[in-house]
Amino acid sequence: MLTKAERQRGYAGGGVVFAGITLFIALAVIALLFFDSGDTGRPLFDAYVWRILRFTLLQAGLSTLLSVALALPLALALARQPKFPGRIWIIRLMAVPMGLPVLIGALGLIGIWGRTGVLNSGLAMIGVSDPVSIYGLSGILIAHVFFNLPLACRLLLAGLERLPPEYWRLSASLGLPSFSVFRFVEWPAVKPLLAGIAGLVFMLCATSFTLVLVLGGGPAATTLEVAIYQSLRFDFDPARAISLSLLQIAVTASVLALMALLPTPGDDNAATGRSARRFDGGSSAARFWDGIFIVLAVLFLCLPLVSILVAGVKADFARLLTTPVFWKAVWTSVWIALMAAMISLAAAITIINARAALADSRKPGLTARSFSALLASLSSLVLLVPPVVIGTGWFLLLRPYGEVSRFAPLLVVMINAMTALPFVMRVLSPAFAIHRQRTARQATNLGVFGFTRLRLIDLPVLKTPLATALSFAMALSLGDLGAVALFGSEDLVTLPWLVYSRLGSYRTADADGFALILALLCLGLTIAGTAGQRDRKDERG
Amino acid sequence: MRKRIFSLAAVLTAALSFALPAHAQEKKTLTVYTYESFVAEWGPGPKVKAAFEKTCDCTVNFVAVADGVALLTRLKLEGAGTKADIALGLDTNLVKEAIDTGLFDKSGVDTAKLTVPGGYQDDIFVPYDYGHFAVVYDTQTLKNPPKSLKELVEGDPSQKIVIQDPRTSTPGLGLLLWVKSVYGDKAPEAWAQLKKRVLTVTPGWSEAYGMFTKGEVPMVLSYTTSPAYHMVEDKSDRYQAAAFSEGHYIQIEVAGLLKNTPNRELAQKFLSFMVTPAFQDEIATTNWMMPVTATDKPLPDAFDKLVKPSKTFLMDPAQVANNRRAWIDEWLAAMSLN
């Protein structure tokens, strides 16, 4: 249904983005491989690597299962209760964990779940003397659910909110029990999203590093990412780092491929026009159980944030805010985040258009279908490429052309844009697909194309997912310490860098203060990103 | 959109201005690669830069990376073409690897008069400060701190400690060598027993120390000098280091001269300057390590209260380099037992 020109633009764009990402990664890898680092000789597949590979998959699998299994009922409850008090703030707060430096999140979690945390203090008060220890697999799982449940929930909720209001209005007259609502309305809406969301969470947990070490209780809890970091940063053995990265990518990609086989995500079944009802949320029983679940989830997510807040407000803000380096850091962080998010969005939209163009051709040949699949997997697997590998590789590539610290901001932007791409794709791809299906025919019939179509038909509907994606990507980028440390550039002082540098010099209170500011900045971004959602809800009323 | 274009323009301008040839060399620039906390606003960097520039009619340009290990990696990546004249901030455990790169040259500084425990001597690297590793404890929650490594290993498993990972951090490697120095072949058994007291193993010093100051654990592996920070800056005696009867392992920070420096004379002058009071006066209260020579200004009283190790352990850098991997594997095996 696209015009020939639109299709060709789609193909070309897809080709450019594909080549861009591939080159960005491949050049770094090649540069590292050709770097002669002298002695190596440690066998890759020793018992140690197998053991950490097993552990990586185990903890990532369990973390994913828990995060998604808990996110689904939470998203359903939040969707069922549009008038839940403070609902919009719950959704906004869900963006905060993503933008927090991992270490700060871990300290927040420890403040609640730790040996001397709120939970154990409470238990001690009621007479339980032995503290409950979370260190070990349980700690890792709690932390991964804390960081990923909100992400999964927001993506699922976005899927549920894409259902047209008529579904609920029509379903009101049919009087279906809540299980049928789930079966005929909600499940079809979330099912096609699950594999993608689970894949995203799985990749995030599989590449987790600081959380796994800090909460894992000992070196029995080690992920491949730790070994990659060790081999590149500590042992400086690039060949081994790349072998381990390839192992990580291959194994994780296989797991993702298996996951994608389970529920076949048909892109079209979310908008087939099947109707059901939505009055179930109004019954007092539904309200009660939904309320309980939401409150528990909010407690789980918010208590660590409260502990970060409590630690943060003790900081001497008068001094922190007048540090000249602080404002420089805010400015650098924000513009890096904005640039990275824009590039990520542009790449995601290009990939989505290319895939639409490939699917639109009369009879997509094998080449077209494989290219489409390749684009889809590339846009998610980039998350598995360790930034330290990319950063080091590009350091080698750029060094002959001048002081690398000059290029560092650009590199950090590109690395952050790449890392954000899978998230942006998860937000935009389903929204674009449904929007296309709903509007393609009318737009063609009306003869609305190009910029006019964008202004009249696309933007009004897509501005919400675009804003969400932008705030997602910016939050991710804001909290990332990134490759900054390797390049060592004074022009590249970011907020997470401030947090870590304070933590590294006994200045915990200052670090807490900066972390709080960072969290508030993320929250601010999400408020901007969800402003559109509220408008739409009012219209639906 | 406008903003984005402006940013792009800014980046382009920056790139272009760099591409232009440096303006005429009326003043020499000494490039010193170091780690971040050295150049932080509270670190020694700004002060020693000012002090040295007064004497040399030159500009000191610090390039800071995350830590000593990253510093060595950076030099390996850059190879002979490095812009560095001096690398400042390696420690004795990295010295062997650093020498093996062939990038360093003899310092020409007489280090014989320096007072570094453990008797470290090297004609390539100049030691500029040191600290002993120590278990730092919270006096509010731990009334009977261990008095020896043996007591730490065999003590009450409900009194926890946080340590760092020797695979990713220098203090972690320090503790590994400390245990090895004291226990020798029995180190795996010691680790298997200590494991019961180890709450968790963090990737770096910051995570561990953050957990400690937030009250999560009563003990952390840090330095004998850590309490000085809290006494001087926080005016608090709460955190103290435990003196161990066997002795303490030492970390010595060193600086070296790059072989290919075009500013050899200036670089040597800087290295000599590093062991004079002008530099050493700043080290104690900005880097929170011990100076290697007598200082002009007396150290704050807090430093008198610090643990003075009865014995110093220091392994030969070559021995560390040759055995590090095997010892880490040994540690992994012992610490992964159930």
Side-chain angles (χ1 to χ4, degrees):
Chain A
M1 262 172 279
L2 300 171
T3 64
K4 197 176 169 206
E6 279 177 317
R7 262 205 303 277
Q8 276 168 349
R9 265 208 305 277
Y11 299 152
V16 169
V17 170
F18 182 79
I21 298 174
T22 317
L23 278 178
F24 186 62
I25 299 169
L27 287 177
V29 170
I30 292 168
L32 270 179
L33 281 179
F34 275 85
F35 186 82
D36 179 23
S37 62
D39 77 312
T40 50
R42 182 170 186 150
L44 175 62
F45 292 105
D46 53 12
Y48 170 66
V49 169
W50 284 122
R51 211 186 64 217
I52 61 176
L53 177 62
R54 269 207 311 277
F55 184 79
T56 304
L57 295 176
L58 171 76
Q59 62 83 13
L62 289 176
S63 301
T64 308
L65 200 67
L66 275 176
S67 302
V68 177
L70 291 171
L72 182 61
L74 180 61
L76 291 174
L78 281 170
R80 248 194 312 266
Q81 307 297 343
K83 296 214 170 93
F84 193 82
R87 181 180 179 276
I88 188 84
W89 283 102
I90 298 172
I91 295 168
R92 284 169 179 168
L93 276 174
M94 283 189 194
V96 176
M98 205 163 37
L100 282 177
V102 179
L103 176 52
I104 292 297
L107 290 176
L109 283 165
I110 288 171
I112 303 303
W113 298 89
R115 249 181 105 247
T116 56
V118 172
L119 180 75
N120 274 319
S121 309
L123 285 177
M125 262 196 285
I126 57 167
V128 183
S129 57
D130 279 341
V132 177
S133 174
I134 58 156
Y135 296 92
L137 188 59
S138 52
I140 296 172
L141 295 182
I142 288 174
H144 281 162
V145 171
F146 171 76
F147 277 97
N148 295 306
L149 184 149
L151 167 72
C153 181
R154 282 182 81 196
L155 291 172
L156 288 170
L157 196 58
L160 288 167
E161 290 185 339
R162 275 193 296 271
L163 287 172
E166 303 89 72
Y167 277 37
W168 313 122
R169 234 173 274 147
L170 265 166
S171 64
S173 54
L174 289 174
L176 294 181
S178 60
F179 179 72
S180 305
V181 176
F182 177 72
R183 196 174 148 201
F184 293 119
V185 186
E186 293 164 336
W187 181 243
V190 295
K191 192 183 90 170
L193 305 174
L194 281 178
I197 294 171
L200 191 60
V201 174
F202 186 86
M203 287 190 287
L204 285 169
C205 299
T207 53
S208 181
F209 171 3
T210 304
L211 286 178
V212 169
L213 283 186
V214 168
L215 295 165
T222 296
T223 53
L224 275 175
E225 194 80 6
V226 176
I228 294 169
Y229 177 90
Q230 181 197 359
S231 55
L232 204 52
R233 278 288 317 281
F234 219 65
D235 299 345
F236 197 62
D237 184 350
R240 183 175 167 83
I242 286 171
S243 312
L244 288 169
S245 307
L246 288 176
L247 180 67
Q248 169 167 303
I249 293 171
V251 172
T252 316
S254 319
V255 173
L256 295 187
L258 282 177
M259 273 203 286
L261 287 180
L262 297 175
T264 38
D267 271 340
D268 47 345
N269 65 358
T272 46
R274 205 187 305 151
S275 329
R277 60 164 288 158
R278 182 115 222 169
F279 257 42
D280 49 340
S283 83
S284 52
R287 268 219 294 265
F288 177 75
W289 289 113
D290 285 346
I292 294 275
F293 196 80
I294 295 173
V295 167
L296 283 178
V298 166
L299 277 179
F300 175 76
L301 295 175
C302 286
L303 284 178
L305 297 180
V306 170
S307 114
I308 292 168
L309 177 74
V310 169
V313 291
K314 288 184 202 142
D316 179 2
F317 282 102
R319 185 169 48 81
L320 294 189
L321 294 179
T322 48
T323 326
V325 71
F326 166 72
W327 291 105
K328 201 173 148 189
V330 170
W331 166 240
T332 310
S333 291
V334 169
W335 86 254
I336 284 184
L338 190 64
M339 294 263 284
M342 298 291 255
I343 293 173
S344 205
L345 251 67
I349 293 170
T350 316
I351 291 176
I352 290 167
N353 284 340
R355 296 196 68 211
L358 288 163
D360 192 68
S361 51
R362 281 278 151 70
K363 272 211 171 81
L366 184 63
T367 335
R369 270 182 291 145
S370 345
F371 184 52
S372 179
L374 209 59
L375 272 178
S377 38
L378 182 75
S379 65
S380 66
L381 291 180
V382 286
L383 202 53
L384 294 170
V385 185
V388 63
V389 168
I390 302 284
T392 314
W394 275 94
F395 181 95
L396 286 171
L397 285 171
L398 291 175
R399 214 174 53 83
Y401 304 102
E403 191 61 48
V404 181
S405 56
R406 296 279 179 193
F407 303 108
L410 217 57
L411 264 182
V412 173
V413 165
M414 292 308 287
I415 291 174
N416 285 352
M418 194 180 82
T419 319
L421 185 60
F423 299 83
V424 173
M425 285 291 289
R426 286 286 148 240
V427 177
L428 292 186
S429 182
F432 272 62
I434 286 171
H435 174 68
R436 279 267 151 69
Q437 277 162 349
R438 284 186 191 152
T439 57
R441 202 176 292 267
Q442 292 97 307
T444 317
N445 287 347
L446 292 168
V448 185
F449 296 111
F451 185 71
T452 323
R453 183 192 152 118
L454 184 76
R455 189 170 59 86
L456 292 178
I457 301 180
D458 297 338
L459 266 187
V461 177
L462 293 177
K463 70 171 195 273
T464 308
L466 284 172
T468 310
L470 192 73
S471 74
F472 252 82
M474 283 189 72
L476 265 175
S477 183
L478 272 182
D480 181 56
L481 183 64
V484 179
L486 181 71
F487 301 121
S489 163
E490 296 215 337
D491 308 326
L492 214 54
V493 176
T494 60
L495 276 175
W497 185 90
L498 283 188
V499 172
Y500 278 96
S501 72
R502 263 66 185 170
L503 274 173
S505 332
Y506 297 105
R507 289 162 173 80
T508 317
D510 290 6
D512 289 337
F514 284 131
L516 179 60
I517 293 171
L518 189 55
L520 291 176
L521 200 59
C522 283
L523 193 61
L525 274 179
T526 325
I527 292 172
T530 48
Q533 260 178 24
R534 183 184 242 166
D535 297 348
R536 215 177 53 157
K537 200 138 296 131
D538 292 345
E539 280 163 33
R540 197 199 280 174
Chain B
M1 201 58 199
R2 280 177 79 93
K3 261 191 191 145
R4 202 171 147 202
I5 291 168
F6 278 134
S7 302
L8 271 174
V11 171
L12 279 176
T13 329
L16 277 177
S17 62
F18 178 76
L20 296 172
H23 52 89
Q25 297 225 327
E26 67 267 340
K27 236 182 185 184
K28 276 194 172 172
T29 299
L30 183 73
T31 304
V32 180
Y33 281 15
T34 184
Y35 47 83
E36 272 162 8
S37 60
F38 192 87
V39 299
E41 64 208 62
W42 55 78
K47 286 171 186 152
V48 301
K49 174 183 157 83
F52 186 66
E53 283 174 355
K54 261 188 248 161
T55 68
C56 73
D57 189 35
C58 68
T59 310
V60 175
N61 175 30
F62 287 118
V63 174
V65 292
D67 51 36
V69 181
L71 176 56
L72 183 57
T73 303
R74 170 85 176 237
L75 290 172
K76 285 180 180 172
L77 284 172
E78 296 188 341
T82 181
K83 295 269 193 311
D85 299 311
I86 283 174
L88 185 163
L90 302 171
D91 75 10
T92 35
N93 292 327
L94 295 168
V95 155
K96 171 72 168 59
E97 254 182 274
I99 292 174
D100 287 349
T101 61
L103 296 172
F104 287 91
D105 208 348
K106 291 202 169 78
S107 66
V109 175
D110 179 17
T111 56
K113 287 198 202 91
L114 304 182
T115 48
V116 186
Y120 175 79
Q121 278 294 333
D122 192 279
D123 54 1
I124 294 184
F125 288 103
V126 180
Y128 64 89
D129 67 16
Y130 68 88
H132 287 91
F133 292 111
V135 169
V136 173
Y137 66 99
D138 183 347
T139 52
Q140 289 185 5
T141 48
L142 193 66
K143 299 301 173 200
N144 294 309
K147 292 178 188 62
S148 63
L149 192 60
K150 188 167 183 291
E151 278 188 33
L152 176 74
V153 168
E154 294 170 6
D156 177 7
S158 71
Q159 291 294 349
K160 300 287 184 188
I161 182 171
V162 175
I163 61 169
Q164 298 85 3
D165 198 317
R167 292 173 295 176
T168 50
S169 85
T170 40
L173 185 60
L175 181 62
L176 184 86
L177 300 176
W178 191 0
V179 172
K180 198 77 200 172
S181 303
V182 173
Y183 282 88
D185 291 345
K186 296 269 180 270
E189 288 84 349
W191 277 112
Q193 197 168 7
L194 180 59
K195 177 179 185 286
K196 296 177 200 133
R197 299 192 81 173
V198 172
L199 183 68
T200 195
V201 182
T202 64
W205 179 89
S206 308
E207 294 87 358
Y209 211 79
M211 288 175 76
F212 171 67
T213 49
K214 286 192 183 290
E216 176 67 2
V217 271
M219 292 184 282
V220 65
L221 178 74
S222 189
Y223 298 92
T224 50
T225 43
S226 301
Y229 175 85
H230 299 290
M231 288 190 268
V232 173
E233 297 285 324
D234 301 341
K235 315 276 179 261
S236 159
D237 291 345
R238 178 172 172 184
Y239 303 117
Q240 293 299 330
F244 280 5
S245 58
E246 297 96 340
H248 292 241
Y249 201 90
I250 194 171
Q251 181 172 39
I252 304 169
E253 295 194 288
V254 301
L257 173 82
L258 273 297
K259 195 178 266 171
N260 291 340
T261 168
N263 304 312
R264 175 177 291 265
E265 209 176 314
L266 189 58
Q268 276 176 336
K269 206 176 151 199
F270 187 83
L271 288 175
S272 306
F273 163 77
M274 287 181 70
V275 290
T276 60
F279 184 101
Q280 293 290 317
D281 273 357
E282 303 297 339
I283 283 296
T285 52
T286 53
N287 222 26
W288 302 102
M289 295 286 264
M290 301 299 292
V292 294
T293 57
T295 53
D296 277 356
K297 284 189 282 183
L299 296 183
D301 293 343
F303 281 81
D304 290 337
K305 297 185 202 156
L306 298 181
V307 166
K308 312 259 178 324
S310 53
K311 186 182 168 193
T312 293
F313 293 109
L314 176 65
M315 283 191 196
D316 176 45
Q319 191 190 357
V320 175
N322 293 336
N323 292 298
R324 187 165 65 105
R325 186 171 290 166
W327 289 343
I328 285 178
D329 285 346
E330 196 179 272
W331 176 85
L332 278 172
M335 289 292 288
S336 303
L337 288 175
N338 283 313

